[in-house]
Amino acid sequence: MEGINKKNGKIGIIGAGISGLLACKYALSEGYTPLVFESQSTIGGVWTTPLETTLLQTPRELFQFSDFPWPAEVTEDFPPHYQVMGYIRSYADQFRLIEHVRFNSKVVQIEYSGAAGGEEEMEGRHYWGGSGEAFSPSAKWELTVEDTVSHATEVHEVDFVILSIGRFSDVPNFPEFQPGKGPEAFRGEVVHSMDYAAMDFGSAAAFVKGRRVTIVGFQKSALDIAAECSAANGAALPCTVVYRTEHWNVPDYMPWGVPIALLYLNRFSELLLHKPGEGPLQSLLATALYPVRLGISKFVESYIRWKHPLAKFGMVPKHNFLQQISSCLIPTVPKKFYDRVEERSIKLRKSQNIAFCSEGILLDGESSPLETDLVIFATGFRGDVKLREIFKSPRFAKCIAGQDDASVTLYRQCIHPRIPQLAILGFSESFSNLYTSEIRCRWLFELLDGTFKLPSIKEMEKDIEDWDSFMKRYSGNSYRRSCIGALHIWYNDQLCMDMGRNPRRKKGFFAELFEPYGPLDYASP
């Protein structure tokens, strides 16, 4: 860290969602100067534009800051969005983070400057940034920031950049259509779930009232919007959900009375899986325990089929539950969702492809169109595009883009081996993103403090390949979601060992093997 000290080390943090706030808190606690840029007028990231029915998807005890418990008045396992937002604001107030956030400030471009030899020379380096150090005395990042109100721009120079721009906002994902078969052929209205969520609750209800609505997608936003449309219009004007793939949408996290954490969030559950960088004994054990792994999946699936009439509506997935949890795709179903399907206020239609015509949309195998007035695409976002487009350098943008058949290539899900003095937080998912973002922040600032150094670029790239193979093995068709999935303890172990901390956080052999791990296990050093 020659030439940089904590008193003058500036950390540019882009985004004031949960990961950005955590990065700001740890930067302050370690003595750095954080500059946080947020394009919106408030903190909270995706929680600033929820749907009216949005609840926390992760059990509350897994979604909490290690040093800031939920207030006593919040008692529900899955609190509503306004309580989640209140909790995030209270955390920011407690650690005085707001005063370090520049609101309505959109970082439109970042540029690495001052590197000896330029970007071409960096291709031949053996260590991150040349030396493996987090800082360089000569190289900086320049952040071009636009005021979203006045549209004036200014440039800020920082020693290190943390991208916390999220992957579920800003750049909507739309399917591609053949010429003349896209929304331009439709005489109705087409929006993305992002546009619907941006409305206030009253306006959203009025927007769908009295209209034939078709929703494309089958993840959390699609299900929640369908439930809201059903409440607004009933069976007289049913909402149609068009989907490609059935999913194991969980009714709750207590299959047959057993907490799902006991099935997937302890060390025993991870013994059942092959792991990146595992040894021969671990590989043999995972192979031998395959029947147990399969049995746990069937156990959870049987509960979901009992709670939801999946077979009746042709909604039984062809993949197992492990594949879904390995892809971080475990949304809960809105209350009475299948009751609304039963009463015909929600209709389910499967189609791998859709095409527009003037009256509505054409589905696979249908000769007549599905007539509709409004189509809402709940088809996700292109977080990878956001990452690419923020770099001025085409070389860095290409590094982030990676290969077409691979997820974003990040060592420890935080550092790109060939982009120096920069980290990405909040892009790779886990079972609980807040929990994972916090331990990543700890790891990152231990790196910045020089507690440990990164291995060579080749070693980091080999580790990335191992994790990529793991994700491909267990994620199936949902691959590319950059998700550590059902290996969050194994992943946390790597971070703990890097930091020189004991990865075993429980007391006693059986507790270590069978008790679920959560945020409070990592509260102490």
Side-chain angles (χ1 to χ4, degrees):
M1 196 168 161
E2 182 183 353
I4 303 292
N5 61 61
K6 291 184 179 182
K7 291 184 179 179
N8 64 23
K10 291 184 180 180
I11 310 293
I13 301 169
I14 304 176
I18 287 173
S19 294
L21 292 174
L22 280 163
C24 179
K25 187 259 186 182
Y26 278 91
L28 289 169
S29 67
E30 294 300 318
Y32 297 100
T33 302
L35 302 177
V36 186
F37 301 96
E38 171 54 55
S39 62
Q40 301 186 78
S41 59
T42 185
I43 62 171
V46 295
W47 289 101
T48 62
T49 54
L51 303 177
E52 185 174 11
T53 55
T54 298
L55 304 176
L56 182 64
Q57 285 291 285
T58 306
R60 174 171 47 87
E61 64 271 17
L62 291 176
F63 187 93
Q64 64 177 317
F65 302 100
S66 65
D67 54 358
F68 191 75
W70 282 84
E73 59 268 21
V74 179
T75 58
E76 297 183 47
D77 287 336
F78 302 96
H81 58 84
Y82 57 87
Q83 289 186 328
V84 177
M85 193 64 198
Y87 177 57
I88 296 170
R89 287 196 186 103
S90 296
Y91 176 81
D93 291 340
Q94 174 70 21
F95 295 103
R96 302 182 65 180
L97 306 180
I98 302 295
E99 59 195 73
H100 300 280
V101 181
R102 304 184 182 205
F103 293 107
N104 301 313
S105 298
K106 182 178 181 179
V107 178
V108 294
Q109 182 177 271
I110 62 175
E111 181 180 10
Y112 190 61
S113 63
E119 292 177 12
E120 291 77 8
E121 187 271 339
M122 289 195 297
E123 284 294 313
R125 291 178 175 176
H126 298 291
Y127 291 95
W128 188 53
S131 64
E133 299 283 351
F135 297 97
S136 166
S138 59
K140 307 284 185 180
W141 281 96
E142 292 182 352
L143 280 54
T144 302
V145 183
E146 178 186 16
D147 186 304
T148 59
V149 178
S150 68
H151 300 292
T153 61
E154 57 185 17
V155 176
H156 295 266
E157 187 178 79
V158 297
D159 302 295
F160 196 92
V161 171
I162 300 175
L163 294 179
S164 299
I165 56 180
R167 60 181 298 174
F168 300 114
S169 60
D170 299 327
V171 183
N173 179 48
F174 284 102
E176 294 184 359
F177 298 95
Q178 294 180 355
K181 301 292 184 180
E184 72 280 359
F186 179 46
R187 65 188 178 195
E189 189 170 1
V190 178
V191 300
H192 191 268
S193 59
M194 177 180 73
D195 306 307
Y196 180 88
M199 303 177 188
D200 63 73
F201 301 150
S203 298
F207 182 65
V208 299
K209 182 71 174 178
R211 305 175 83 178
R212 297 170 297 178
V213 181
T214 297
I215 299 166
V216 180
F218 202 63
Q219 288 302 309
K220 182 57 180 172
S221 293
L223 301 179
D224 283 348
I225 295 172
E228 293 184 8
C229 290
S230 170
N233 294 322
L237 284 173
C239 167
T240 302
V241 178
V242 177
Y243 66 94
R244 284 182 172 179
T245 305
E246 301 85 359
H247 292 290
W248 296 107
N249 293 319
V250 298
D252 53 57
Y253 285 79
M254 293 287 290
W256 300 115
V258 179
I260 203 167
L262 288 176
L263 303 175
Y264 286 103
L265 301 179
N266 57 21
R267 288 194 183 275
F268 176 77
S269 68
E270 296 195 1
L271 290 177
L272 312 180
L273 301 174
H274 291 282
K275 306 168 189 67
E278 67 184 358
L281 182 59
Q282 292 163 322
S283 177
L284 180 64
L285 190 59
T287 300
L289 291 175
Y290 170 77
V292 180
R293 181 169 76 236
L294 182 62
I296 290 175
S297 271
K298 295 300 181 185
F299 177 79
V300 177
E301 292 161 23
S302 68
Y303 176 72
I304 298 173
R305 295 180 68 165
W306 177 67
K307 291 286 285 189
H308 297 321
L310 301 183
K312 180 177 181 179
F313 299 111
M315 297 298 295
V316 179
K318 295 179 176 61
H319 58 269
N320 61 34
F321 185 74
L322 175 62
Q323 177 178 317
Q324 200 158 302
I325 199 171
S326 296
S327 308
C328 296
L329 291 173
I330 46 172
T332 54
V333 178
K335 292 181 179 179
K336 298 184 178 180
F337 180 85
Y338 282 99
D339 290 345
R340 290 169 171 159
V341 177
E342 188 90 45
E343 71 185 19
R344 304 290 290 172
S345 62
I346 295 176
K347 295 182 178 180
L348 303 173
R349 303 285 295 274
K350 183 174 182 177
S351 183
Q352 294 299 312
N353 303 286
I354 65 171
F356 283 90
C357 62
S358 60
E359 297 85 3
I361 58 176
L362 295 165
L363 307 180
D364 290 342
E366 300 285 341
S367 57
S368 57
L370 172 63
E371 295 184 2
T372 188
D373 304 310
L374 169 65
V375 176
I376 302 176
F377 279 95
T379 45
F381 295 86
R382 292 296 308 275
D384 58 322
V385 171
K386 280 204 297 183
L387 284 179
R388 288 201 308 270
E389 292 183 347
I390 202 168
F391 289 96
K392 181 177 181 180
S393 161
R395 185 181 298 272
F396 286 164
K398 183 179 179 180
C399 284
I400 284 294
Q403 303 297 319
D404 292 338
D405 63 344
S407 57
V408 174
T409 53
L410 301 175
Y411 178 69
R412 298 293 192 247
Q413 311 298 317
C414 299
I415 298 289
H416 194 288
R418 299 190 181 275
I419 304 180
Q421 295 170 236
L422 178 139
I424 298 173
L425 296 176
F427 187 86
S428 174
E429 298 175 84
S430 72
F431 189 77
S432 174
N433 291 329
L434 185 157
Y435 162 25
T436 304
S437 286
E438 182 163 12
I439 193 169
R440 285 172 180 164
C441 278
R442 290 182 176 182
W443 178 88
L444 176 61
F445 280 95
E446 293 277 4
L447 172 65
L448 267 57
D449 280 353
T451 302
F452 65 94
K453 286 188 177 182
L454 298 176
S456 71
I457 289 176
K458 285 187 176 180
E459 289 174 294
M460 287 195 284
E461 290 178 339
K462 175 61 169 62
D463 185 82
I464 291 168
E465 288 176 7
D466 289 343
W467 273 94
D468 195 56
S469 296
F470 159 74
M471 287 187 271
K472 286 177 178 176
R473 180 171 195 159
Y474 289 109
S475 297
N477 293 334
S478 300
Y479 172 72
R480 285 188 63 88
R481 288 186 59 87
S482 293
C483 167
I484 61 173
L487 274 190
H488 82 288
I489 301 174
W490 176 265
Y491 170 76
N492 289 348
D493 286 353
Q494 316 307 309
L495 303 188
C496 286
M497 288 187 288
D498 287 346
M499 294 184 285
R501 298 180 181 178
N502 184 4
R504 308 284 173 171
R505 317 297 291 186
K506 302 289 188 180
K507 295 181 179 180
F509 174 79
F510 289 102
E512 187 64 54
L513 191 59
F514 295 109
E515 281 188 9
Y517 263 73
L520 299 185
D521 291 303
Y522 298 94
S524 59

